[in-house]
Amino acid sequence: KMRWFLLLLVIVVGGYVAAAHFSGGAFPTLGLPLGGERGLLRSTTTSFLEDIQFKDFDKAASYHAPDKRDEVDIPFLIERLFFQKPESLDVMGYEIMFADVDSTRLRARVKARIKVKSLANGSIQERELMLFYHRETLEAPWYMELESSLRQLSAEKGKKS
């Protein structure tokens, strides 16, 4: 009986670990580095959103390419997303919806849902956010492109909308 129990336990645990890996880290993995590139992108996005939650904007800018970090104005971009100053927002929670990597494995996107409470009037809002990542080579680190993620939805100058 004990052998069957151990065999069943190994099958269940192995199945769960395989599912966690192939889901791109969508299932809790107890700190195990599972999920490949999609798992890494989920983890990076979670860390970024945690930095936003605790208003560590310098750390949040560190997910961008080194040559762009000084230019990235995280508070301004948050204000564009929620139409309020970041100081008046309480990030109550967030959820990673999915992580997706293109066929070249040089571009990726992560969709997240963020729930915030306005400290000014107590209203609660939910927003979905698509974060875009890129890297130069398959061995290079992923860098976020937050400005392009939150850009205005209007046509470029000289182009029709």
Side-chain angles (χ1 to χ4, degrees):
K1 290 185 179 185
M2 187 60 142
R3 281 187 197 169
W4 289 110
F5 174 75
L6 289 175
L7 179 63
L8 181 62
L9 183 64
V10 166
I11 290 171
V12 169
V13 169
Y16 185 82
V17 168
H21 178 72
F22 291 115
S23 72
F27 300 122
T29 60
L30 306 172
L32 296 174
L34 299 176
E37 293 172 331
R38 292 184 305 149
L40 175 65
L41 290 162
R42 282 176 171 275
S43 176
T44 300
T45 302
T46 299
S47 295
F48 171 76
L49 294 173
E50 186 175 87
D51 294 338
I52 297 297
Q53 182 178 25
F54 288 93
K55 304 202 181 351
D56 187 350
F57 302 129
D58 290 336
K59 178 77 168 56
S62 73
Y63 299 96
H64 294 74
D67 61 329
K68 294 184 181 180
R69 289 178 185 160
D70 292 336
E71 302 170 11
V72 177
D73 187 349
I74 301 288
F76 174 73
L77 295 171
I78 293 170
E79 188 173 345
R80 281 180 44 197
L81 180 64
F82 291 104
F83 308 109
Q84 293 186 56
K85 297 270 186 209
E87 302 81 34
S88 66
L89 290 175
D90 174 24
V91 176
M92 300 172 66
Y94 43 84
E95 174 187 5
I96 306 299
M97 307 300 289
F98 67 80
D100 192 19
V101 178
D102 79 348
S103 61
T104 67
R105 295 179 35 219
L106 299 176
R107 297 178 298 183
R109 62 188 185 146
V110 178
K111 185 175 183 180
R113 182 177 296 138
I114 306 170
K115 184 176 182 179
V116 299
K117 180 178 182 178
S118 169
L119 298 176
N121 63 20
S123 66
I124 295 177
Q125 305 175 45
E126 271 195 24
R127 294 276 195 271
E128 289 187 354
L129 174 66
M130 188 73 73
L131 297 172
F132 294 93
Y133 293 85
H134 77 282
R135 61 184 176 182
E136 295 297 318
T137 66
L138 296 179
E139 295 77 31
W142 287 104
Y143 290 119
M144 183 182 292
E145 294 180 345
L146 186 60
E147 280 192 323
S148 66
S149 301
L150 298 179
R151 70 180 178 272
Q152 296 290 348
L153 295 178
S154 58
E156 291 180 28
K157 189 175 180 178
K159 295 187 179 183
K160 294 181 180 181
S161 55

